[in-house]
Amino acid sequence: MAESATTSRDSLELLPDAAQRYGAGDVEGWRAGALLLTFFLVSALSQVDRILPYIMAESIKAELSLNDTQIGLLTGVAFAVCYTLLSLPLARAADRGSPRFVLVSCIFLWSAMTALGGLASSFLLLALTRFGVAFGEAGAMPAAHAIIARRIRPERRGLAIGLFAMGIPLGTMVGFAAGGALGDALGWRMVLIGAGTIGLAIGAMALAVPGPTPPRKTEAISKEPFLRTSFALLSSPGFRWLFAGAVVASFAAAPFYVFVAPFLIRTHGFTASEAGLAFGLLQGLMGIAGTLLGGRFFDRAVRTGTGRVLGPPAIIFLLASIPMTAALFVPVGWVSILLLVPSMFSFAFMLPWGFGAAHLVAGEGREAMATSLVMIGSGLLGPAIGPLLVGVVSDAATAAGLANGLGIGLLLIPAASLLTCLALLTANRRVAARLRGAVTGDASHF
């Protein structure tokens, strides 16, 4: 109980009225801009390397003689296993030591594995390279968040996380739009090799720009075993429900990004280039709007001092589930694409709120661990089971003679969006009670 109260006091120290605790390592002006630009490029690159097999799935499937179930395994389980095994220890390494070293090492690893994926001659070899990509990506985001926590002032951190997270939708846009066009023109192998080469250059940039990262002030936390820290965070009801929200949201997001482009190609007759351009551009625009607005509104919610920092994304997920359902069955392709837009916005809007709330609950010195746990929630069951489940349902429905088998499988997305709304509303109440309890010294909320 004492440990819980200490964690909650640490959490409140991240609020603006305690911003003066930070200062020695803060960066301002152009230095902060250069730091966030670098991290934006890292975030975008990681998403491009993850997305490319999605938009090029039909070409990969044809050349390597795969089925939808194997595509689901290839794009889901590889990442989920690595997130489970490696994200927490890599996050602990970032919290304890040099997050810059962890970040740069991870970038070089996943970039090399992306390039090697272009040389794969079988499902097994391609899956092994995707394991390597997942290894690198498992540590990159926690390490980047640890640097942000040490270098960006607390009252600006929501926007900083939003700018960093903006790389995800823009990387998705580039991955779908450029990946589809280049895949048609050059072939999927050359695209993977080229993306890996670009990644090595951005890794060198990440090595130079952040500079030495100042040590944390909370040395006692750094000595805790990472499993103990993880269990301490998950013992908080607010963090548990946030974790649950990340899990169910991933059951909506993972199948969305894996199978929506193939859905548009099969059901509405788009080419890979057309589907990638339309889907990618809209996803990029919604991603920019979602992450920036999410970061701004999260900072505003923190400044109110109520601790209610998860209600808005919950409502957005609820509203997005309705047009998503309609998008799977309308007969006109461009209408289907437009009906996908609210879901694109909801996934981006959630990012600053989810990570920002996790940092608040975790407290100073646990930011990378909090990020890692949220990543595990969003990167484990959903990506592992969601695309696989959609692929199995699609194959079964198609075998049964149904014309829109993939659309039926994709009904998992609106169902998971509704569950995400419920989980986030519950987390909203729990997090608020936790932070209020820290102010009053009432540990009964914890």
Side-chain angles (χ1 to χ4, degrees):
M1 190 71 68
E3 182 179 16
S4 296
T6 300
T7 301
S8 295
R9 286 193 296 272
D10 289 340
S11 301
L12 284 185
E13 289 173 347
L14 291 174
L15 296 175
D17 59 0
Q20 297 303 316
R21 292 181 65 251
Y22 297 77
D26 291 345
V27 291
E28 301 286 350
W30 71 268
R31 294 180 184 274
L35 178 69
L36 293 176
L37 174 62
T38 301
F39 286 176
F40 163 76
L41 293 175
V42 170
S43 177
L45 171 70
S46 69
Q47 195 67 11
V48 167
D49 288 352
R50 182 181 297 197
I51 286 294
L52 287 176
Y54 301 173
I55 187 61
M56 300 187 298
E58 295 295 285
S59 299
I60 296 172
K61 179 181 175 182
E63 183 170 340
L64 299 183
S65 301
L66 307 181
N67 56 36
D68 281 346
T69 301
Q70 289 174 307
I71 291 294
L73 287 169
L74 184 66
T75 55
V77 173
F79 276 86
V81 170
C82 282
Y83 272 177
T84 302
L85 296 178
L86 299 169
S87 182
L88 285 175
L90 288 172
R92 172 49 78 206
D95 272 338
R96 280 183 168 178
S98 170
R100 182 176 63 156
F101 175 79
V102 174
L103 175 63
V104 172
S105 300
C106 287
I107 295 171
F108 284 147
L109 174 62
W110 96 57
S111 298
M113 290 296 103
T114 298
L116 288 175
L119 304 177
S121 58
S122 68
F123 168 77
L124 177 60
L125 292 176
L126 185 57
L128 289 175
T129 66
R130 300 313 291 173
F131 273 105
V133 173
F135 189 142
E137 295 195 5
M141 186 176 289
H145 278 195
I147 297 174
I148 289 173
R150 299 189 202 181
R151 306 305 299 268
I152 303 296
R153 296 181 66 83
E155 67 269 24
R156 300 177 181 174
R157 199 165 295 157
L159 180 59
I161 294 174
L163 289 170
F164 173 64
M166 190 171 67
I168 296 176
L170 284 181
T172 301
M173 179 180 69
V174 173
F176 275 111
L182 292 174
D184 286 345
L186 303 175
W188 63 273
R189 295 184 181 277
M190 289 302 299
V191 173
L192 291 180
I193 293 172
T197 303
I198 293 172
L200 297 177
I202 295 179
M205 183 177 177
L207 177 64
V209 171
T213 306
R216 291 171 298 98
K217 298 180 181 294
T218 314
E219 293 301 324
I221 294 175
S222 70
K223 297 177 181 178
E224 294 177 354
F226 72 86
L227 288 178
R228 180 181 176 185
T229 303
S230 302
F231 289 136
L233 289 174
L234 290 171
S235 69
S236 161
F239 198 95
R240 278 203 307 270
W241 278 103
L242 174 58
F243 182 85
V247 171
V248 291
S250 69
F251 273 90
F256 185 88
Y257 291 115
V258 171
F259 280 116
V260 162
F263 167 78
L264 294 174
I265 293 169
R266 298 182 202 176
T267 304
H268 296 292
F270 288 91
T271 66
S273 298
E274 291 169 341
L277 183 62
F279 182 76
L281 286 176
L282 285 173
Q283 173 60 34
L285 292 173
M286 290 302 101
I288 294 171
T291 52
L292 290 181
L293 289 174
R296 283 290 189 185
F297 282 112
F298 176 79
D299 283 341
R300 182 177 298 176
V302 169
R303 286 195 292 269
T304 65
T306 65
R308 294 186 176 274
V309 290
L310 288 169
I315 301 304
I316 295 295
F317 268 94
L318 172 64
L319 297 176
S321 65
I322 300 171
M324 181 66 223
T325 303
L328 300 176
F329 298 100
V330 295
V332 181
W334 67 267
V335 175
S336 179
I337 291 177
L338 290 179
L339 290 171
L340 298 172
V341 167
S343 288
M344 299 176 188
F345 182 84
S346 70
F347 300 143
F349 189 79
M350 171 67 179
L351 292 172
W353 295 82
F355 288 119
H359 292 178
L360 283 178
V361 176
E364 185 192 359
R366 298 186 178 94
E367 294 94 349
M369 289 294 294
T371 295
S372 177
L373 286 170
V374 173
M375 285 174 58
I376 288 174
S378 63
L380 176 57
L381 294 179
I385 300 175
L388 178 60
L389 180 60
V390 170
V392 169
V393 172
S394 172
D395 287 340
T398 301
L402 298 179
N404 191 19
L406 186 53
I408 294 172
L410 287 171
L411 284 172
L412 175 64
I413 297 172
S417 295
L418 290 173
L419 292 176
T420 301
C421 171
L422 296 176
L424 291 181
L425 288 175
T426 304
N428 189 48
R429 294 193 298 270
R430 297 288 192 173
V431 170
R434 178 183 178 85
L435 296 181
R436 286 197 304 270
V439 173
T440 62
D442 180 7
S444 63
H445 297 292
F446 307 153

